[in-house]
Structure formats: structure tokens, C-alpha cells
Amino acid sequence: MNLTPKSLISKASGLALLGLLFTSNTFAASPGGGDLKSDDIVGISFWIISMALVAATAFFFLETQRVTPKWKTSLTVSGLVTMVAATHYFYMRDVWVATGNTPTVFRYIDWLITVPLLMVEFYLILSAITKVPGGVFWRLMIGTIVMLVGGYLGEAGYMNALFAFIIGMAGWAFILWEIFLGEAGKINAKSSPPAVQSAFTLMRWIVVIGWAIYPIGYFLGYLTGASPEKSMVLLNVVYNLADVVNKIAFGVIIWTAATSESDKVLNSSKA
Ligand SMILES: *C/C=C(C)/C=C/C=C(C)/C=C/C1=C(C)CCCC1(C)C
């Protein structure tokens, strides 16, 4: 190795750059978060929810120990949903606090992963007690993709906001049709034990009431004609609130069904 002054300088600067990258990575959670203002409602909600998602993840993963094997996958998927969301919340919080911009791309990348995982939950809940045709799963996925692609094109400005909203609503309507009137709904009505039926009914209402919070957020963000500043505060607060209901509360519902069904099995094997 020849150590000319020039090569030394380039090595030293390479090392310095590496050090810089390392420290900036180490403190990646603080640049935006460090500037969190006491009156920044959106920033504070991003912060609180990211921590709640971390706690929920640990809880769902640990509780897989407590349930019978067929419920373990459902709890694992709940934990994956909150884990993926927690990571995106760290980034979204930093974008918001550091720049004041709405983190649309991170939001939709998160939804693109977590909403299909929630659809998998439906399928798993039904599969835990009966044989479910694969078509149910694919119809739920198609509805999800149409809903999210519509929403993204509108929010990112690639399409008229109202037109994109209508496309997104159509995707959601298709999902609702499947779980109330389609094959998924019929399977549940026929063959589930009470705990699963009540979990399924609750999950259905989550997809109606809990999911309805998102289009309300979109409406307040893009379709009221209010100032961009006010609209973006409303949009983000409403979306964040919706995530608490649909990611954490949804997971807790599954946890309730899983533990009550498992305890029954474990108790009857003891007697
Ligand atoms: C964890 C994240 C979840 C459960 C996200 C769900 C998102 C929606 C249900 C979004 C729905 C939308 C419409 C129904 C209309 C168009 C705009 C959207 C994408 C916000």
C-alpha cells in the first residue's frame, strides 16, 4: 500500500464521511424529534403513536406464547402490522417535525404493506375454523389495491382529488360487499364458534367504522377548500387517530378471540 499525502487525505476523508454517516444514523431518531414543539399537535400525535405501536408489537409477539398453535399466526400478523407501522411512524414524524410537510409517500408505503396484512387477518380468522376458498383472499386484495392506488394518485397530485377519491371509495365498497354479502360473510355465518363469530363481527365493524375515518381524513385534507395549512393538520391528525383504531385496537380484538378460544381448549384438556 503506498501512503502518499494524497491517498492519506482521501482515506482520512473517507473515514470522516463514514463517521459522519454512523453518527447521523445513530441519532437518526433525534434530528426531527429534537425540534418537537409543545404546540405541534400532529408531531406529538406521531410521537405518541409510534411509541404505542412499539409497545403493541412487543405485546402481540410475546402473547403468541400463550395461545394454541392455530392462533399464533394471527397474533404474529398483528405484531407485524404494528411493527411495520411503528417504523414508518418514526420517519413520518421526522418529515413532519423537520419540514412541516405531509409524509404522503411514507404513509402510502405503510398502508400498502399493512392493509394487505390486515386482509390476511380476516382470512386467517376464518381459516382457523373452516376451509376458505382462495378467491375470498384475492377479492379482498383487489379491493385493497384499487382503494389505495386511487387514494395515492389523488394525494400525490397525479389525479383530480375528487375523481381519485371516488375510485378509492369504489375499492372500499368492494371490500365491504365481500365481507358482508360475499363468500367471506357467508362462511362466517355458517360455521364459526361464538368467539370467532364475535371477533368476525367486530372486525367487520372495524372495516366499516374504523376504516371510514380515513376517507373522512382525505375529505378534510383535500375536498373542503380550507387553507392548505389547516387541511394538512386535520388530515394527519385524523389519519393518525384512524391508525390507533385500525392497527392497535384491531390487534387487541384478535388477541381477545385468540386468548378466549385458547383458554377454553387448554381448560378442557386439563379437566
Ligand atoms: C393501517 C392502515 C389502514 C387500515 C389504512 C386504511 C386506509 C383506508 C381504508 C383508506 C381509504 C380511502 C378511501 C376509502 C377513499 C380514498 C382515500 C383513502 C385511500 C384514504
Side-chain angles (χ1 to χ4, degrees), residues 31 37 67 76 80 84 88 131 156 198:
K37 304 277 190 303
V67 298
T76 303
L80 291 177
V84 168
H88 285 109
K131 208 172 155 3
S198 66

Side-chain angles (χ1 to χ4, degrees), residues 108 111 114-115 118 147 151 168-169 211 214-215 218 239 243 247:
Y108 274 83
W111 289 356
T114 54
V115 178
L118 291 170
M147 181 178 85
M169 292 297 270
W211 286 27
Y214 295 96
Y218 184 107
Y239 279 173
D243 279 348
K247 295 187 165 71

Side-chain angles (χ1 to χ4, degrees), residues 204-259:
R204 282 219 276 230
W205 289 114
I206 285 249
V207 176
V208 181
I209 315 252
W211 286 27
I213 307 170
Y214 295 96
I216 291 172
Y218 184 107
F219 182 84
L220 294 173
Y222 300 99
L223 302 173
T224 61
S227 77
E229 214 170 291
K230 271 198 198 125
S231 320
M232 287 305 110
V233 167
L234 277 174
L235 176 91
N236 283 288
V237 167
V238 172
Y239 279 173
N240 287 0
L241 179 82
D243 279 348
V244 173
V245 173
N246 294 291
K247 295 187 165 71
I248 300 177
F250 188 92
V252 170
I253 288 169
I254 286 156
W255 172 83
T256 308
T259 47

Side-chain angles (χ1 to χ4, degrees), residues 35-82:
D35 294 332
L36 186 58
K37 304 277 190 303
S38 59
D39 63 349
D40 180 357
I41 300 170
V42 176
I44 291 171
S45 73
F46 271 125
W47 191 285
I48 294 172
I49 297 166
S50 31
M51 295 310 142
L53 287 164
V54 168
T57 305
F59 179 74
F60 294 140
F61 284 160
L62 285 169
E63 289 291 297
T64 56
Q65 306 292 310
R66 209 188 121 176
V67 298
T68 48
K70 67 179 184 185
W71 286 105
K72 286 190 198 298
T73 318
S74 301
L75 280 184
T76 303
V77 173
S78 295
L80 291 177
V81 167
T82 52

Side-chain angles (χ1 to χ4, degrees), residues 21 88 90 99 110 116 151 161 165 182 201 222 236 252-253 260 266:
L21 275 176
H88 285 109
F90 299 147
T99 69
D110 178 68
F165 183 71
T201 306
Y222 300 99
N236 283 288
V252 170
I253 288 169
S260 81
L266 295 174

